[in-house]
Amino acid sequence: MDSLWDGNHTAVTGFILLGLTDDPILKVILFMIILCIYLVTVSGNLSTIILISISPQLHHPMYFFLSQLAFADLCLSTSVTPNMLVNFLVERNSISYHGCVTQLGSGAVFGTAECLLLAIMAYDRFVAIYKPLFYSTKMSTQVCVQLLIVAYVGSFLNASSFAICYYFLFFCGPNRVNHFFCDFAPLVELSCSESSIPAVVPSFTAGSIVVCTVFVIIVSYMYILITILKMRSKEGRHKAFSTCTAHLTAVSLYFGTVTFIYVMPKSSYSTDQNKVVSVFYMVVIPMLNPIIYSLRNNDIKGALKRVFLKKIIA
């Protein structure tokens, strides 16, 4: 049952997700592609978490936050991908009213966590390069745990703003969401609510987090760049910059897509473009991050070699 009668209106109690396409052949092709991406995402991020936990040489703040980023990537992809795969296999992919807010909230939690973790990792690189003598005290285990708590508290507060505003929206039909998951913007378009406040508040909170994290990242890398340019040793400059390249690549990919979705004017792109970018942001990037960090980080490559050598010797 998708609706119930409430006075002069029909209150929607469930939604139908339209997905990416109606073409049966394209559905099969996309199902295979996204299934492969999801399997790589799960294996890559789980491998990163396990490798960091079992390798003593990776027990440093940078890799602690990298393991948390891998966890956030895994959960972000899992919040939407399994349901998207189901959408390719069934004619009508319905989701309940409360199931929709659960999907919306989990995506907001782990999407925000990734955003904040990338800012924390930029700060970690700033301390390591700009103030190396104070690194052990400024990035102690206690400080790392506190930063992680702040990241997840901020994530849950942002997700709460989405969830609370979702419950203030009134849906009186239609209930067909033009997306592959319960994103907030297409839900607002379906809403019959007269007040615009529930639609504005989540955009403000999400926008504030993006602006603050981008500011932290830019300032951190400004100091990092100044410090690297002051180094006399060419080898030292190369080593310092090489520790940042993987993070810079991840930041560029993530914030590039987030800016497209949440910052650019809605009139400048279509819903179909929004869906494609959302696939990249929520499905493809979680797969790419472990690959980026494993290919561009000598410590991780060294840890992988040691693990494989131990298995071969054993």
Side-chain angles (χ1 to χ4, degrees):
M1 201 119 168
D2 291 327
S3 61
L4 57 87
W5 185 260
D6 182 22
N8 296 323
H9 299 283
T10 302
V12 171
T13 59
F15 299 95
I16 298 169
L17 301 174
L18 298 183
L20 293 174
T21 181
D22 291 327
D23 188 326
I25 297 173
L26 193 55
K27 276 187 174 184
V28 174
I29 295 170
L30 287 174
F31 174 82
M32 297 304 296
I33 292 171
I34 291 174
L35 177 62
C36 291
I37 289 173
Y38 184 60
L39 292 174
V40 173
T41 300
V42 173
S43 58
N45 284 291
L46 279 178
S47 298
T48 300
I49 295 167
I50 293 168
L51 180 66
I52 291 171
S53 66
I54 65 173
S55 303
Q57 66 272 23
L58 298 181
H59 290 175
H60 298 292
M62 180 173 73
Y63 300 110
F64 168 74
F65 292 119
L66 178 56
S67 67
Q68 296 301 320
L69 183 68
F71 174 73
D73 276 331
L74 180 61
C75 293
L76 178 63
S77 181
T78 301
S79 69
V80 298
T81 309
N83 189 265
M84 191 197 312
L85 292 171
V86 170
N87 212 339
F88 293 127
L89 301 176
V90 298
E91 286 188 17
R92 173 173 157 167
N93 185 20
S94 59
I95 186 169
S96 69
Y97 180 78
H98 297 296
C100 192
V101 75
T102 300
Q103 189 180 62
L104 174 67
S106 59
V109 166
F110 295 108
T112 308
E114 180 157 354
C115 188
L116 293 171
L117 284 166
L118 287 170
I120 291 169
M121 291 170 77
Y123 173 74
D124 170 75
R125 290 300 82 209
F126 155 72
V127 177
I129 295 171
Y130 188 71
K131 296 183 178 180
L133 297 176
F134 299 97
Y135 184 73
S136 59
T137 54
K138 286 189 174 290
M139 296 302 294
S140 63
T141 302
Q142 184 179 1
V143 172
C144 290
V145 171
Q146 288 172 347
L147 287 171
L148 184 64
I149 291 170
V150 168
Y152 274 103
V153 168
S155 300
F156 278 104
L157 288 175
N158 184 46
S160 297
S161 73
F162 279 86
I164 291 168
C165 289
Y166 170 85
Y167 281 118
F168 273 99
L169 295 174
F170 184 76
F171 301 98
C172 55
N175 67 338
R176 298 168 71 83
V177 180
N178 189 17
H179 219 302
F180 60 86
F181 76 105
C182 284
D183 197 11
F184 196 72
L187 289 170
V188 170
E189 291 179 8
L190 295 178
S191 170
C192 307
S193 303
E194 295 179 4
S195 174
S196 62
I197 294 175
V200 172
V201 171
S203 297
F204 176 77
T205 56
S208 300
I209 289 172
V210 170
V211 169
C212 291
T213 50
V214 169
F215 176 77
V216 170
I217 291 168
I218 290 173
V219 171
S220 297
Y221 274 102
M222 282 175 59
Y223 279 101
I224 288 170
L225 183 61
I226 291 168
T227 306
I228 290 174
L229 292 175
K230 286 181 179 178
M231 291 179 179
R232 295 181 180 180
S233 168
K234 187 177 179 180
E235 185 181 343
R237 287 198 300 268
H238 176 74
K239 185 178 179 182
F241 191 72
S242 66
T243 63
C244 302
T245 52
H247 180 257
L248 278 171
T249 305
V251 165
S252 301
L253 287 171
Y254 185 82
F255 284 99
T257 52
V258 167
T259 300
F260 186 94
I261 295 173
Y262 296 107
V263 178
M264 284 182 65
K266 303 298 180 188
S267 59
S268 63
Y269 59 92
S270 67
T271 303
D272 288 337
Q273 285 176 310
N274 191 353
K275 286 195 276 189
V276 171
V277 175
S278 295
V279 170
F280 190 76
Y281 152 61
M282 303 192 80
V283 179
V284 178
I285 288 180
M287 175 196 69
L288 292 177
N289 279 342
I291 297 170
I292 292 167
Y293 278 98
S294 61
L295 290 177
R296 303 301 295 269
N297 191 292
N298 291 327
D299 291 339
I300 289 181
K301 286 190 282 188
L304 274 170
K305 287 178 184 176
R306 279 186 280 272
V307 170
F308 283 125
L309 283 172
K310 282 183 180 178
K311 285 188 176 182
I312 291 169
I313 293 168

